[in-house]
Amino acid sequence: QSQLAESGGGLVQPGGSLRLSCAGSGFTLEYNTIGWFRQAPGKEREIVAAIDWSGSETFYIGDVRGRVTISRDNGQNAIYLQMNKLEPWESAVYYCAAVSIPPRHHQTYEYNYWGQGTHVTVSS
């Protein structure tokens, strides 16, 4: 059973927006770095954005900068990914993941805990 739960995915028109949420399930996220990853069919899972435990430091993959914002609310034990101006190639399963040791490269192997994923489909 996953200790993280994603929500907010769905079908959106090109150019539209979605806000994904990640919540701990019997798991406190306060002292963890949280990453959002995406995985399209037949492709490797890759980092989209990450945020440190305090929310003061963030990381974004180059192709989402300016369109995507990661944030967290430690009081609510939740993390958010606001995605704007979505394009069809961004259709994928989006996962949140957590790790207590600050990752250096934001690779999948650096994260210990994963959610089940939420589907995002960008299509006309």
Side-chain angles (χ1 to χ4, degrees):
Q1 184 67 33
S2 177
Q3 292 180 283
L4 302 175
E6 305 94 337
S7 62
L11 176 64
V12 63
Q13 299 292 313
S17 299
L18 286 174
R19 190 177 79 152
L20 307 183
S21 299
C22 175
S25 179
F27 178 63
T28 299
L29 303 177
E30 183 175 1
Y31 300 109
N32 285 262
T33 293
I34 306 297
W36 279 99
F37 292 76
R38 66 189 177 202
Q39 186 168 24
K43 296 184 178 180
E44 296 293 320
R45 190 174 300 183
E46 63 181 351
I47 187 73
V48 176
I51 189 166
D52 78 331
W53 69 270
S54 69
S56 63
E57 296 183 8
T58 58
F59 169 86
Y60 297 94
I61 193 171
D63 58 26
V64 305
R65 287 174 182 151
R67 299 187 297 109
V68 170
T69 301
I70 187 170
S71 62
R72 69 188 301 165
D73 184 342
N74 286 336
Q76 296 295 316
N77 202 32
I79 298 86
Y80 307 98
L81 188 72
Q82 177 68 46
M83 303 190 292
N84 301 320
K85 299 180 180 179
L86 286 163
E87 300 175 10
W89 62 265
E90 296 180 276
S91 296
V93 179
Y94 284 73
Y95 300 87
C96 66
V99 62
S100 61
I101 302 172
R104 290 184 176 275
H105 307 293
H106 297 286
Q107 298 296 304
T108 58
Y109 66 82
E110 296 180 279
Y111 286 77
N112 300 124
Y113 304 99
W114 293 84
Q116 295 296 313
T118 185
H119 286 78
V120 171
T121 302
V122 185
S123 177
S124 299

